[in-house]
């Protein structure tokens, strides 16, 4: 059974930092791209970052470039999202996703995700 479980969310003041984790199971972790997405109430889903486990290339949305960093630990089947210099507009439910059947690459994961976790809530106060 494929599972993606996020953790690490919480309440933080603007300018603070959080590190989110996405623990994956049920598939060969290091063969797929895994992306982080977020969705705030009343807003569309937004791609935050993605890491291609094959070559470790990372990609970021324009709104988080320079502030967020994604990494993976293949031994732990876990992807991380380090979030620094947080802003109130970063408040959202953050979740990780993967597309297994067609081995969806980072660039197509927004529409091609097949499995996703329930997410972890990040709230940034001003």
């Amino acid at each position: 059974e494929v599972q993606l479980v996020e953790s690490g969310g919480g309440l933080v003041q603007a300018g603070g930092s959080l590190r989110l984790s996405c623990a994956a199971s049920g598939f060969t972790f290091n063969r797929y791209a895994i992306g982080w997405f977020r969705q705030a109430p009343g807003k569309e889903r937004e791609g935050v970052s993605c890491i291609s486990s094959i070559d470790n290339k990372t990609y970021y949305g324009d709104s988080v470039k320079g502030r967020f960093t994604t990494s993976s630990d293949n031994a732990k089947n876990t992807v991380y999202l380090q979030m620094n210099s947080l802003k109130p507009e970063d408040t959202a439910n953050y979740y990780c996703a993967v597309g297994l059947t067609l081995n969806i690459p980072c660039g197509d994961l927004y529409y091609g995700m097949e499995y996703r976790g329930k997410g972890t809530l990040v709230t940034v106060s001003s």
Side-chain angles (χ1 to χ4, degrees):
E1 180 187 5
V2 175
Q3 283 192 320
L4 298 166
V5 180
E6 302 88 349
S7 61
L11 174 63
V12 64
Q13 287 189 334
S17 298
L18 283 174
R19 189 176 82 153
L20 307 185
S21 299
C22 167
S25 60
F27 62 99
T28 306
F29 179 80
N30 61 359
R31 293 183 181 178
Y32 300 95
I34 296 180
W36 281 99
F37 297 82
R38 66 186 184 186
Q39 189 161 20
K43 294 188 176 181
E44 290 189 0
R45 179 177 66 205
E46 179 184 6
V48 176
S49 71
C50 187
I51 184 165
S52 175
S53 297
I54 296 174
D55 55 12
N56 264 351
K57 284 187 176 178
T58 54
Y59 306 87
Y60 299 93
D62 288 341
S63 62
V64 306
K65 281 180 183 176
R67 299 188 298 123
F68 290 11
T69 303
T70 191
S71 61
S72 66
D73 184 335
N74 290 342
K76 295 182 178 180
N77 283 8
T78 300
V79 173
Y80 302 98
L81 183 66
Q82 177 66 44
M83 307 187 297
N84 298 329
S85 302
L86 282 162
K87 305 175 182 180
E89 50 263 45
D90 294 319
T91 295
N93 184 50
Y94 286 71
Y95 60 90
C96 53
V98 66
L100 298 183
T101 302
L102 298 179
N103 199 350
I104 302 297
C106 282
D108 297 323
L109 199 53
Y110 186 94
Y111 293 109
M113 66 176 69
E114 186 177 359
Y115 297 95
R116 54 158 288 185
K118 293 181 180 179
T120 185
L121 183 61
V122 172
T123 303
V124 184
S125 63
S126 56

